[in-house]
Amino acid sequence: MSPVSKRDPRLGGGGGGGPDGELHTVMRGLSLQAPMPTDTGPAEVCPVCKSSRYLNSSLRFLVNPECYHKMCESCVDRIFSHGPAQCPIPGCRRTLRKHRFREQTFEDIQVEREVDIRKKVQAVFNKREEEFEGLREYNDYLNDVEDITFNLVNNIDVEETGRRFEAYQKANEKEIEENAQLAQQEKVSFSAMQKAERQQARERRDAARREENDERREVEENKRDVLNRLASGADAETVAKEGQQVQLKKRMDRQAATERQRQLQAASDSRNGSSNFVVKGLKAKQKAEPEAPIDPFGGIRIASKYFTLQDHYVWEGIQDTQKDVKHIAGGYDVRDYTHRSLCAAFSGLGVFIADEMTERDRATQDSEAIGTVRADIGLKDSLMADPL
Amino acid sequence: MATSPALDVPAEPPAKRRKVSPEPPGRNDTLAATAASPPAVADLAEQLDEQERKKYVKGKKIGSGQYADVFSAHLVTNPTKLVAIKKIKVGPEVKEFGISYDSLREIKFLQELDHPNIIKLHSVFSTKNQNLNLVLEHLPQGDLLKLIQDSQGITYTPADIKSWMLMLCRAVYFCHANSVLHRDIKPNNLLIAANGEIKLADFGLARAMADPFQPMTYNTITIWYRPPELFFQAQHYGGAVDVWSVGCVFAELIAREVMFRAWPENEINMVKIICEKVGTPTEDNWPGVSKLRGYVTPGDVVPLRPREEWLANFRAIGDIGVDLLIKMLTLDPRQRLTAEGVLRHEFWTANPRPSRLEDLPRKGGGVEAMGESLKQRGGELPRDGGGAANGRADRVARKIDFGNMKK
Ligand SMILES: Nc1ncnc2c1ncn2[C@@H]1O[C@H](COP(=O)(O)OP(=O)(O)OP(=O)(O)O)[C@@H](O)[C@H]1O
Ligand SMILES: [Mg+2]
Ligand SMILES: [Zn+2]
Ligand SMILES: [Zn+2]
């Protein structure tokens, strides 16, 4: 079996030219097209230089998330050390950069790719549970994110999904960055917790891998079963038919899942009344940035834009006060008086009757029940902000 | 009622409310006039009263003071909207003028001041027998005094003190910036809202800052929290009187005991204890003080207490905090920080950061239990017992943290 003979037709090996060749910008550097299957040759032989692990036990294989084609470390060094170059795998014309090559974590290159996509999606859809009104809304959101991921992983509506992904990212740039920082902080301050989580993640990964191995073994067993039964003289036609049925059923399952996914997507599209991702059930933002510096004034400063207070006013009453020891020693500050007088003098200037009427209607019961008149106070310029 | 008969009467003990002389009438007399207005207007007023009164369902008594009883109540239309109704007791001046002065002050200033750390007055209505009812914001967490005194049940940190003090200082700054002197700042007039916010309450002794040469009473502010200039009978003073009281509250929060607790509670003993703890007011540290009418100091001159002594007594709040305290409890009101100066002090932005509202200790039910129940979001039911975290994992759609799978 030649490494390239069984390339997935969807790969559109035409590189730059074909409709699939141009990756959507969002996912640039991450192949959305399913890469070629892994079973393209003995895992121990480099498809480029044909070096084999039998001869060189330290041989290391690397992949680049641009196309996920596997090759050995020395090939990577040789081909990409002088700058970006084309993937040497025949038919793949993607331009690869050396720094993006890495070791494959998962045996199955599909899993490898899915993990990459998930990481990418999660970096953008990084909303936190506490931002939602409730658990329900949060779960709905996770579900939507899963839909997106599923589409990208399974090459459903890649163009459209990518476009909406990008639109979402642009629209939520700031929140995404904030949440990323928050997550970073938590990582630092709760490193112990992180450790435990990493442990859990490892367990989950192991579980996923086990599951996958099981699946593969099942397929193989199935195949072997067919062969055995044929070998033991069973009717070839029946066995073939049964085998086909099993295969058919699996394909139908897959198709059904895809179809269901499409329907869900369509439903949620019409629900949102727009083709962009809209996250629903978010709590109204009210929490202040946790690390914003303390403003002792709490955002409220009483200052007038109409006048500046002077230290001295030429008016007998004021000058007398400033000379009177009983005023001075008692802590009477004549500036309080001049300030108040100026406030009163200017208090009409920033007032718009219409606003005042609304304000009064809102608070009718306050004043009218006892017939007081709201006194003028220099509040027009004050600004309210969240406490602490 | 232009001159005050009470001016020279010694203050009553702080446990009881001082009957302060009526302030020079000014804007107040329109109010008094309305209350005793002719029948035609009274009818309309009565109708409005009736309307307002019928909006609330009165519940049980939640507090009582010298001049008022406070009831919990809720809106007829919405039982979850709680309010507090402060029913003013009928005093002698009500018989004379138709309305109590304390409640007049309270209504007048609360209507003017709209600030997150000042108690909100929703509305006012009166009942047939001239009883005034103030519909106030409901503040179910008690007052700061209860927290200070519960030294067995409640511990708090310097960050908590900073948080409470900052809220108090913002409220005082706001009053002063609007030309209002509170004149009764003390821990039991600092009420605590459901979310932990401090609310400056009880404006029964408040007044507008006076014009030059317009005398004010010096017989005001609960005696332990009263500044030296008032003991020396200054009749022209300013926001500095409140700043002294704030300083007393600050010291009390740190030491968990009243800073100037004179016993028996009289002016002489108060001046004595202030001299002991801060230093004797003299022309040197307070120019002009000897010209004040009531200036007397006991015995030998005590030099101003050195900073080291303050530091030793209030170590817990740190150097910067002690610096602020000293500047609030400065004898000469002109050298004392203004409310704005207080907010400009570096204490607030220095470490530690003031506690967040949800982290502040509260009374009752144990700090732990309280803290828990308050972390719940509004209207949210407690998550089913013990396995909150585990139970959740099952109900949340599977979310694997792929970011952590590879470095
Ligand atoms: N808005 C409110 N919500 C809850 N409780 C309140 C409220 N207002 C007052 N109280 C309670 O009622 C008590 C008396 O209230 P307040 O201090 O306003 O009355 P007062 O007559 O001025 O009392 P005093 O002169 O003794 O300080 C308070 O100590 C407090 O426990
Ligand atoms: Mg009170
Ligand atoms: Zn090679
Ligand atoms: Zn390639």
Side-chain angles (χ1 to χ4, degrees), chain A residues 153-170:
Chain A
V153 169
N154 294 288
N155 297 297
I156 301 164
D157 288 342
V158 174
E159 265 309 302
E160 177 61 6
T161 309
R163 189 193 63 73
R164 287 158 59 198
F165 187 97
E166 185 178 31
Y168 176 88
Q169 187 173 26
K170 253 217 192 92

Side-chain angles (χ1 to χ4, degrees), chain B residues 11 18 29-30 52 86 109 124 173 193 221 232 249 274 323:
Chain B
R18 303 134 317 282
D29 46 11
T30 44
E52 191 57 39
K86 183 167 175 174
F109 294 114
V124 180
Y173 164 71
I221 302 187
F232 298 152
V249 173
I274 290 173
D323 184 72

Side-chain angles (χ1 to χ4, degrees), chain A residues 360-381:
Chain A
R360 197 197 54 192
D361 290 348
R362 200 166 55 77
T364 324
Q365 75 271 38
D366 287 19
S367 40
E368 304 215 325
I370 50 156
T372 47
V373 182
R374 272 171 174 257
D376 283 320
I377 42 172
L379 290 185
K380 292 290 163 241
D381 302 325

Side-chain angles (χ1 to χ4, degrees), chain A residues 186-363:
Chain A
E186 283 169 2
K187 212 177 227 160
V188 173
S189 47
F190 300 111
S191 68
M193 217 175 76
Q194 287 295 110
K195 227 181 204 163
E197 262 173 27
R198 223 172 291 144
Q199 170 68 21
Q200 278 176 3
R202 204 175 308 127
E203 280 163 14
R204 280 193 294 256
R205 190 176 58 202
D206 288 347
R209 199 182 283 166
R210 261 197 311 278
E211 214 169 280
E212 213 175 286
N213 285 337
D214 287 352
E215 207 174 295
R216 190 173 309 129
R217 204 178 44 240
E218 222 171 84
V219 171
E220 254 147 43
E221 270 169 12
N222 203 17
K223 224 186 277 173
R224 215 174 306 126
D225 185 45
V226 171
L227 289 173
N228 284 345
R229 284 170 68 190
L230 282 174
S232 65
D235 174 30
E237 215 173 311
T238 329
V239 174
K241 211 189 248 162
E242 273 174 16
Q244 266 170 7
Q245 265 166 2
V246 170
Q247 246 182 320
L248 202 65
K249 185 168 181 304
K250 280 199 175 142
R251 202 180 312 142
M252 271 163 62
D253 284 351
R254 216 173 307 134
Q255 274 172 358
T258 311
E259 184 52 33
R260 206 165 45 239
Q261 206 56 41
R262 280 221 177 87
Q263 282 168 0
L264 275 174
Q265 195 57 56
S268 77
D269 280 356
S270 62
R271 207 168 54 220
N272 293 342
S274 115
S275 64
N276 282 338
F277 298 127
V278 178
V279 176
K280 288 166 290 123
L282 282 177
K283 249 193 283 187
K285 268 249 161 99
Q286 89 266 76
K287 63 170 181 179
E289 260 311 296
E291 282 313 304
I294 288 287
D295 170 15
F297 287 82
I300 301 175
R301 269 195 187 73
I302 317 287
S304 177
K305 46 182 178 243
Y306 302 114
F307 61 86
T308 344
L309 201 62
Q310 319 269 281
D311 278 342
H312 299 286
Y313 286 95
V314 186
W315 181 59
E316 251 174 63
I318 290 172
Q319 286 167 340
D320 288 352
T321 312
Q322 281 169 328
K323 273 181 266 166
D324 181 51
V325 72
K326 289 195 168 158
H327 280 77
I328 295 169
Y332 184 88
D333 190 342
V334 79
R335 280 171 304 177
D336 288 334
Y337 172 69
T338 48
H339 176 260
R340 184 159 43 91
S341 307
L342 287 168
C343 269
F346 287 95
S347 64
L349 286 183
V351 178
F352 300 95
I353 302 298
D355 296 352
E356 289 297 291
M357 303 284 269
T358 338
E359 169 79 5
R360 197 197 54 192
D361 290 348
R362 200 166 55 77

